[in-house]
Amino acid sequence: EDQVTQSPEALRLQEGESSSLNCSYTVSGLRGLFWYRQDPGKGPEFLFTLYSAGEEKEKERLKATLTKKESFLHITAPKPEDSATYLCAVQARSGGYQKVTFGTGTKLQVIP
Amino acid sequence: DVKVTQSSRYLVKRTGEKVFLECVQDMDHENMFWYRQDPGLGLRLIYFSYDVKMKEKGDIPEGYSVSREKKERFSLILESASTNQTSMYLCASSFPDRWSGYTFGSGTRLTVV
């Protein structure tokens, strides 16, 4: 069974204090790994897709990296507006269907 | 601005009622999905559809059905609502390759009393 585990569950940072969120996964036949941001009371918003180990993607203060077993979302000099829950998801082939499994997320709070 | 629109933000229904949740997307996406999101359990796939009039069961289809009569519209039906179906329901859509990720609606918070 495909599994996605995110850590920590919650993270509190001071503004400007850089850190990383972790997403470890166990899947058969990884097709892609996704990061989403979710604000309270809203649906997740797509951030990145990573396809293969060694790949990196950047967007503003966020950088996502991928290895064969995990992905990291690095947040550099975060601002209060980066506060949100960050979700990781993996896409794997399951029979004829490309199944997407979501983690439970890391809730990030950035304090001014 | 492209988007996925869910018909209701909040709903309160009684046990045993038949409940319809509507989702419309304006991006010409082939794929559409219904998830429910519960604390500590993350997003769980209920049903999905790759094409008009096509539907496939996800991980937790029991107690639910879906309808896709038009490409842009995907409806989730709770045949007889129960209290354990109280949850946040999220609709999403995507292109077939999905590499651009899913576009989610804002969600419907359903409470069954």
PDB file of all heavy atoms in Angstrom, chain B residues 68-95:
ATOM      1  N   ARG B  68     -21.784  12.411 -13.854  1.00  0.00           N
ATOM      2  CA  ARG B  68     -21.089  13.349 -14.743  1.00  0.00           C
ATOM      3  C   ARG B  68     -21.760  13.296 -16.108  1.00  0.00           C
ATOM      4  O   ARG B  68     -21.389  12.502 -16.970  1.00  0.00           O
ATOM      5  CB  ARG B  68     -19.602  13.018 -14.854  1.00  0.00           C
ATOM      6  CG  ARG B  68     -18.844  14.181 -15.504  1.00  0.00           C
ATOM      7  CD  ARG B  68     -17.369  14.026 -15.383  1.00  0.00           C
ATOM      8  NE  ARG B  68     -16.674  15.159 -15.990  1.00  0.00           N
ATOM      9  CZ  ARG B  68     -15.400  15.125 -16.303  1.00  0.00           C
ATOM     10  NH1 ARG B  68     -14.674  14.044 -16.074  1.00  0.00           N
ATOM     11  NH2 ARG B  68     -14.833  16.193 -16.844  1.00  0.00           N
ATOM     12  N   GLU B  69     -22.737  14.153 -16.267  1.00  0.00           N
ATOM     13  CA  GLU B  69     -23.498  14.241 -17.517  1.00  0.00           C
ATOM     14  C   GLU B  69     -22.881  15.225 -18.502  1.00  0.00           C
ATOM     15  O   GLU B  69     -23.092  15.117 -19.713  1.00  0.00           O
ATOM     16  CB  GLU B  69     -24.943  14.640 -17.208  1.00  0.00           C
ATOM     17  CG  GLU B  69     -25.696  13.613 -16.368  1.00  0.00           C
ATOM     18  CD  GLU B  69     -25.868  12.304 -17.117  1.00  0.00           C
ATOM     19  OE1 GLU B  69     -26.156  12.329 -18.321  1.00  0.00           O
ATOM     20  OE2 GLU B  69     -25.695  11.235 -16.488  1.00  0.00           O
ATOM     21  N   LYS B  70     -22.118  16.186 -17.991  1.00  0.00           N
ATOM     22  CA  LYS B  70     -21.422  17.147 -18.838  1.00  0.00           C
ATOM     23  C   LYS B  70     -19.964  17.220 -18.398  1.00  0.00           C
ATOM     24  O   LYS B  70     -19.640  16.963 -17.229  1.00  0.00           O
ATOM     25  CB  LYS B  70     -22.075  18.531 -18.734  1.00  0.00           C
ATOM     26  CG  LYS B  70     -23.478  18.595 -19.289  1.00  0.00           C
ATOM     27  CD  LYS B  70     -24.007  20.016 -19.254  1.00  0.00           C
ATOM     28  CE  LYS B  70     -25.401  20.084 -19.864  1.00  0.00           C
ATOM     29  NZ  LYS B  70     -25.926  21.482 -19.870  1.00  0.00           N
ATOM     30  N   LYS B  71     -19.111  17.601 -19.329  1.00  0.00           N
ATOM     31  CA  LYS B  71     -17.674  17.605 -19.052  1.00  0.00           C
ATOM     32  C   LYS B  71     -17.327  18.509 -17.872  1.00  0.00           C
ATOM     33  O   LYS B  71     -16.447  18.202 -17.078  1.00  0.00           O
ATOM     34  CB  LYS B  71     -16.905  18.055 -20.295  1.00  0.00           C
ATOM     35  CG  LYS B  71     -15.400  17.937 -20.177  1.00  0.00           C
ATOM     36  CD  LYS B  71     -14.725  18.320 -21.481  1.00  0.00           C
ATOM     37  CE  LYS B  71     -13.220  18.117 -21.388  1.00  0.00           C
ATOM     38  NZ  LYS B  71     -12.555  18.476 -22.673  1.00  0.00           N
ATOM     39  N   GLU B  72     -18.012  19.637 -17.761  1.00  0.00           N
ATOM     40  CA  GLU B  72     -17.628  20.617 -16.768  1.00  0.00           C
ATOM     41  C   GLU B  72     -18.242  20.380 -15.392  1.00  0.00           C
ATOM     42  O   GLU B  72     -17.894  21.063 -14.450  1.00  0.00           O
ATOM     43  CB  GLU B  72     -18.007  22.021 -17.259  1.00  0.00           C
ATOM     44  CG  GLU B  72     -19.504  22.296 -17.357  1.00  0.00           C
ATOM     45  CD  GLU B  72     -20.068  21.901 -18.719  1.00  0.00           C
ATOM     46  OE1 GLU B  72     -19.405  21.140 -19.452  1.00  0.00           O
ATOM     47  OE2 GLU B  72     -21.186  22.372 -19.023  1.00  0.00           O
ATOM     48  N   ARG B  73     -19.147  19.441 -15.269  1.00  0.00           N
ATOM     49  CA  ARG B  73     -19.903  19.279 -14.024  1.00  0.00           C
ATOM     50  C   ARG B  73     -19.770  17.871 -13.462  1.00  0.00           C
ATOM     51  O   ARG B  73     -19.958  16.884 -14.172  1.00  0.00           O
ATOM     52  CB  ARG B  73     -21.372  19.606 -14.277  1.00  0.00           C
ATOM     53  CG  ARG B  73     -22.242  19.645 -13.037  1.00  0.00           C
ATOM     54  CD  ARG B  73     -23.678  19.979 -13.433  1.00  0.00           C
ATOM     55  NE  ARG B  73     -23.768  21.304 -14.030  1.00  0.00           N
ATOM     56  CZ  ARG B  73     -23.961  22.428 -13.343  1.00  0.00           C
ATOM     57  NH1 ARG B  73     -24.101  22.391 -12.030  1.00  0.00           N
ATOM     58  NH2 ARG B  73     -24.037  23.594 -13.972  1.00  0.00           N
ATOM     59  N   PHE B  74     -19.475  17.797 -12.156  1.00  0.00           N
ATOM     60  CA  PHE B  74     -19.309  16.498 -11.494  1.00  0.00           C
ATOM     61  C   PHE B  74     -20.030  16.594 -10.154  1.00  0.00           C
ATOM     62  O   PHE B  74     -19.676  17.432  -9.324  1.00  0.00           O
ATOM     63  CB  PHE B  74     -17.817  16.207 -11.303  1.00  0.00           C
ATOM     64  CG  PHE B  74     -17.478  14.794 -10.917  1.00  0.00           C
ATOM     65  CD1 PHE B  74     -18.208  13.713 -11.384  1.00  0.00           C
ATOM     66  CD2 PHE B  74     -16.382  14.537 -10.104  1.00  0.00           C
ATOM     67  CE1 PHE B  74     -17.863  12.409 -11.050  1.00  0.00           C
ATOM     68  CE2 PHE B  74     -16.022  13.239  -9.762  1.00  0.00           C
ATOM     69  CZ  PHE B  74     -16.764  12.178 -10.238  1.00  0.00           C
ATOM     70  N   SER B  75     -21.038  15.772  -9.977  1.00  0.00           N
ATOM     71  CA  SER B  75     -21.873  15.844  -8.780  1.00  0.00           C
ATOM     72  C   SER B  75     -21.614  14.663  -7.870  1.00  0.00           C
ATOM     73  O   SER B  75     -21.461  13.528  -8.328  1.00  0.00           O
ATOM     74  CB  SER B  75     -23.355  15.858  -9.177  1.00  0.00           C
ATOM     75  OG  SER B  75     -23.628  16.939 -10.040  1.00  0.00           O
ATOM     76  N   LEU B  76     -21.584  14.952  -6.578  1.00  0.00           N
ATOM     77  CA  LEU B  76     -21.449  13.908  -5.548  1.00  0.00           C
ATOM     78  C   LEU B  76     -22.783  13.786  -4.834  1.00  0.00           C
ATOM     79  O   LEU B  76     -23.373  14.796  -4.435  1.00  0.00           O
ATOM     80  CB  LEU B  76     -20.349  14.279  -4.557  1.00  0.00           C
ATOM     81  CG  LEU B  76     -20.105  13.290  -3.413  1.00  0.00           C
ATOM     82  CD1 LEU B  76     -19.487  11.999  -3.958  1.00  0.00           C
ATOM     83  CD2 LEU B  76     -19.200  13.900  -2.355  1.00  0.00           C
ATOM     84  N   ILE B  77     -23.240  12.557  -4.670  1.00  0.00           N
ATOM     85  CA  ILE B  77     -24.540  12.302  -4.057  1.00  0.00           C
ATOM     86  C   ILE B  77     -24.359  11.422  -2.826  1.00  0.00           C
ATOM     87  O   ILE B  77     -23.722  10.366  -2.900  1.00  0.00           O
ATOM     88  CB  ILE B  77     -25.482  11.615  -5.058  1.00  0.00           C
ATOM     89  CG1 ILE B  77     -25.612  12.479  -6.311  1.00  0.00           C
ATOM     90  CG2 ILE B  77     -26.852  11.364  -4.421  1.00  0.00           C
ATOM     91  CD1 ILE B  77     -25.930  11.720  -7.559  1.00  0.00           C
ATOM     92  N   LEU B  78     -24.895  11.897  -1.718  1.00  0.00           N
ATOM     93  CA  LEU B  78     -24.954  11.081  -0.513  1.00  0.00           C
ATOM     94  C   LEU B  78     -26.367  10.505  -0.473  1.00  0.00           C
ATOM     95  O   LEU B  78     -27.339  11.227  -0.289  1.00  0.00           O
ATOM     96  CB  LEU B  78     -24.684  11.918   0.734  1.00  0.00           C
ATOM     97  CG  LEU B  78     -23.235  12.321   1.009  1.00  0.00           C
ATOM     98  CD1 LEU B  78     -22.693  13.293  -0.047  1.00  0.00           C
ATOM     99  CD2 LEU B  78     -23.103  12.918   2.400  1.00  0.00           C
ATOM    100  N   GLU B  79     -26.479   9.227  -0.706  1.00  0.00           N
ATOM    101  CA  GLU B  79     -27.790   8.600  -0.884  1.00  0.00           C
ATOM    102  C   GLU B  79     -28.668   8.714   0.353  1.00  0.00           C
ATOM    103  O   GLU B  79     -29.857   8.978   0.261  1.00  0.00           O
ATOM    104  CB  GLU B  79     -27.604   7.139  -1.263  1.00  0.00           C
ATOM    105  CG  GLU B  79     -26.854   6.929  -2.586  1.00  0.00           C
ATOM    106  CD  GLU B  79     -27.663   7.377  -3.796  1.00  0.00           C
ATOM    107  OE1 GLU B  79     -28.900   7.545  -3.677  1.00  0.00           O
ATOM    108  OE2 GLU B  79     -27.067   7.567  -4.870  1.00  0.00           O
ATOM    109  N   SER B  80     -28.076   8.521   1.516  1.00  0.00           N
ATOM    110  CA  SER B  80     -28.797   8.638   2.787  1.00  0.00           C
ATOM    111  C   SER B  80     -27.784   9.110   3.820  1.00  0.00           C
ATOM    112  O   SER B  80     -27.021   8.310   4.359  1.00  0.00           O
ATOM    113  CB  SER B  80     -29.405   7.288   3.183  1.00  0.00           C
ATOM    114  OG  SER B  80     -30.047   7.383   4.435  1.00  0.00           O
ATOM    115  N   ALA B  81     -27.756  10.422   4.039  1.00  0.00           N
ATOM    116  CA  ALA B  81     -26.689  11.018   4.844  1.00  0.00           C
ATOM    117  C   ALA B  81     -26.636  10.429   6.252  1.00  0.00           C
ATOM    118  O   ALA B  81     -27.674  10.169   6.891  1.00  0.00           O
ATOM    119  CB  ALA B  81     -26.879  12.524   4.911  1.00  0.00           C
ATOM    120  N   SER B  82     -25.413  10.238   6.720  1.00  0.00           N
ATOM    121  CA  SER B  82     -25.209   9.756   8.089  1.00  0.00           C
ATOM    122  C   SER B  82     -24.215  10.683   8.787  1.00  0.00           C
ATOM    123  O   SER B  82     -23.462  11.411   8.142  1.00  0.00           O
ATOM    124  CB  SER B  82     -24.690   8.319   8.082  1.00  0.00           C
ATOM    125  OG  SER B  82     -23.420   8.271   7.459  1.00  0.00           O
ATOM    126  N   THR B  83     -24.218  10.634  10.105  1.00  0.00           N
ATOM    127  CA  THR B  83     -23.357  11.555  10.863  1.00  0.00           C
ATOM    128  C   THR B  83     -21.878  11.347  10.558  1.00  0.00           C
ATOM    129  O   THR B  83     -21.091  12.299  10.635  1.00  0.00           O
ATOM    130  CB  THR B  83     -23.618  11.420  12.372  1.00  0.00           C
ATOM    131  OG1 THR B  83     -23.437  10.066  12.756  1.00  0.00           O
ATOM    132  CG2 THR B  83     -25.039  11.861  12.730  1.00  0.00           C
ATOM    133  N   ASN B  84     -21.479  10.127  10.192  1.00  0.00           N
ATOM    134  CA  ASN B  84     -20.060   9.901   9.887  1.00  0.00           C
ATOM    135  C   ASN B  84     -19.658  10.438   8.518  1.00  0.00           C
ATOM    136  O   ASN B  84     -18.488  10.302   8.107  1.00  0.00           O
ATOM    137  CB  ASN B  84     -19.677   8.426  10.027  1.00  0.00           C
ATOM    138  CG  ASN B  84     -20.407   7.526   9.051  1.00  0.00           C
ATOM    139  OD1 ASN B  84     -21.046   8.002   8.119  1.00  0.00           O
ATOM    140  ND2 ASN B  84     -20.315   6.226   9.263  1.00  0.00           N
ATOM    141  N   GLN B  85     -20.603  11.041   7.821  1.00  0.00           N
ATOM    142  CA  GLN B  85     -20.284  11.723   6.574  1.00  0.00           C
ATOM    143  C   GLN B  85     -20.100  13.232   6.781  1.00  0.00           C
ATOM    144  O   GLN B  85     -19.903  13.973   5.818  1.00  0.00           O
ATOM    145  CB  GLN B  85     -21.353  11.450   5.526  1.00  0.00           C
ATOM    146  CG  GLN B  85     -21.343   9.994   5.072  1.00  0.00           C
ATOM    147  CD  GLN B  85     -22.420   9.686   4.054  1.00  0.00           C
ATOM    148  OE1 GLN B  85     -23.600  10.019   4.253  1.00  0.00           O
ATOM    149  NE2 GLN B  85     -22.033   9.044   2.958  1.00  0.00           N
ATOM    150  N   THR B  86     -20.164  13.665   8.016  1.00  0.00           N
ATOM    151  CA  THR B  86     -19.814  15.049   8.341  1.00  0.00           C
ATOM    152  C   THR B  86     -18.337  15.251   8.032  1.00  0.00           C
ATOM    153  O   THR B  86     -17.480  14.533   8.545  1.00  0.00           O
ATOM    154  CB  THR B  86     -20.094  15.344   9.824  1.00  0.00           C
ATOM    155  OG1 THR B  86     -21.502  15.320  10.048  1.00  0.00           O
ATOM    156  CG2 THR B  86     -19.540  16.696  10.220  1.00  0.00           C
ATOM    157  N   SER B  87     -18.049  16.211   7.151  1.00  0.00           N
ATOM    158  CA  SER B  87     -16.676  16.367   6.683  1.00  0.00           C
ATOM    159  C   SER B  87     -16.567  17.596   5.783  1.00  0.00           C
ATOM    160  O   SER B  87     -17.565  18.234   5.443  1.00  0.00           O
ATOM    161  CB  SER B  87     -16.253  15.121   5.885  1.00  0.00           C
ATOM    162  OG  SER B  87     -14.885  15.181   5.516  1.00  0.00           O
ATOM    163  N   MET B  88     -15.319  17.891   5.381  1.00  0.00           N
ATOM    164  CA  MET B  88     -15.071  18.864   4.320  1.00  0.00           C
ATOM    165  C   MET B  88     -14.948  18.087   3.012  1.00  0.00           C
ATOM    166  O   MET B  88     -14.131  17.157   2.919  1.00  0.00           O
ATOM    167  CB  MET B  88     -13.776  19.632   4.589  1.00  0.00           C
ATOM    168  CG  MET B  88     -13.304  20.478   3.416  1.00  0.00           C
ATOM    169  SD  MET B  88     -14.357  21.885   3.078  1.00  0.00           S
ATOM    170  CE  MET B  88     -13.590  23.095   4.149  1.00  0.00           C
ATOM    171  N   TYR B  89     -15.746  18.475   2.024  1.00  0.00           N
ATOM    172  CA  TYR B  89     -15.714  17.813   0.723  1.00  0.00           C
ATOM    173  C   TYR B  89     -15.057  18.737  -0.296  1.00  0.00           C
ATOM    174  O   TYR B  89     -15.431  19.904  -0.444  1.00  0.00           O
ATOM    175  CB  TYR B  89     -17.123  17.434   0.278  1.00  0.00           C
ATOM    176  CG  TYR B  89     -17.674  16.298   1.107  1.00  0.00           C
ATOM    177  CD1 TYR B  89     -18.340  16.548   2.298  1.00  0.00           C
ATOM    178  CD2 TYR B  89     -17.481  14.981   0.704  1.00  0.00           C
ATOM    179  CE1 TYR B  89     -18.815  15.499   3.082  1.00  0.00           C
ATOM    180  CE2 TYR B  89     -17.953  13.931   1.481  1.00  0.00           C
ATOM    181  CZ  TYR B  89     -18.613  14.196   2.670  1.00  0.00           C
ATOM    182  OH  TYR B  89     -19.075  13.162   3.438  1.00  0.00           O
ATOM    183  N   LEU B  90     -14.073  18.193  -0.989  1.00  0.00           N
ATOM    184  CA  LEU B  90     -13.308  18.964  -1.965  1.00  0.00           C
ATOM    185  C   LEU B  90     -13.433  18.339  -3.344  1.00  0.00           C
ATOM    186  O   LEU B  90     -13.220  17.142  -3.513  1.00  0.00           O
ATOM    187  CB  LEU B  90     -11.833  19.014  -1.570  1.00  0.00           C
ATOM    188  CG  LEU B  90     -11.510  19.848  -0.338  1.00  0.00           C
ATOM    189  CD1 LEU B  90     -10.150  19.467   0.222  1.00  0.00           C
ATOM    190  CD2 LEU B  90     -11.539  21.327  -0.669  1.00  0.00           C
ATOM    191  N   CYS B  91     -13.752  19.177  -4.307  1.00  0.00           N
ATOM    192  CA  CYS B  91     -13.782  18.772  -5.707  1.00  0.00           C
ATOM    193  C   CYS B  91     -12.490  19.251  -6.358  1.00  0.00           C
ATOM    194  O   CYS B  91     -11.969  20.325  -6.010  1.00  0.00           O
ATOM    195  CB  CYS B  91     -14.989  19.391  -6.387  1.00  0.00           C
ATOM    196  SG  CYS B  91     -15.098  19.087  -8.157  1.00  0.00           S
ATOM    197  N   ALA B  92     -11.965  18.477  -7.299  1.00  0.00           N
ATOM    198  CA  ALA B  92     -10.753  18.873  -8.010  1.00  0.00           C
ATOM    199  C   ALA B  92     -10.871  18.465  -9.473  1.00  0.00           C
ATOM    200  O   ALA B  92     -11.652  17.570  -9.824  1.00  0.00           O
ATOM    201  CB  ALA B  92      -9.519  18.232  -7.384  1.00  0.00           C
ATOM    202  N   SER B  93     -10.093  19.121 -10.310  1.00  0.00           N
ATOM    203  CA  SER B  93     -10.052  18.744 -11.718  1.00  0.00           C
ATOM    204  C   SER B  93      -8.625  18.839 -12.225  1.00  0.00           C
ATOM    205  O   SER B  93      -7.773  19.503 -11.618  1.00  0.00           O
ATOM    206  CB  SER B  93     -10.985  19.625 -12.553  1.00  0.00           C
ATOM    207  OG  SER B  93     -10.510  20.954 -12.613  1.00  0.00           O
ATOM    208  N   SER B  94      -8.362  18.172 -13.347  1.00  0.00           N
ATOM    209  CA  SER B  94      -7.009  18.205 -13.915  1.00  0.00           C
ATOM    210  C   SER B  94      -7.059  17.781 -15.371  1.00  0.00           C
ATOM    211  O   SER B  94      -8.037  17.184 -15.845  1.00  0.00           O
ATOM    212  CB  SER B  94      -6.076  17.272 -13.136  1.00  0.00           C
ATOM    213  OG  SER B  94      -6.319  15.913 -13.469  1.00  0.00           O
ATOM    214  N   PHE B  95      -5.969  18.057 -16.086  1.00  0.00           N
ATOM    215  CA  PHE B  95      -5.772  17.492 -17.409  1.00  0.00           C
ATOM    216  C   PHE B  95      -5.360  16.026 -17.258  1.00  0.00           C
ATOM    217  O   PHE B  95      -4.939  15.620 -16.178  1.00  0.00           O
ATOM    218  CB  PHE B  95      -4.710  18.281 -18.166  1.00  0.00           C
ATOM    219  CG  PHE B  95      -5.175  19.638 -18.601  1.00  0.00           C
ATOM    220  CD1 PHE B  95      -4.568  20.779 -18.115  1.00  0.00           C
ATOM    221  CD2 PHE B  95      -6.218  19.775 -19.508  1.00  0.00           C
ATOM    222  CE1 PHE B  95      -5.005  22.040 -18.518  1.00  0.00           C
ATOM    223  CE2 PHE B  95      -6.662  21.022 -19.907  1.00  0.00           C
ATOM    224  CZ  PHE B  95      -6.056  22.162 -19.404  1.00  0.00           C
TER     225      PHE B  95
END
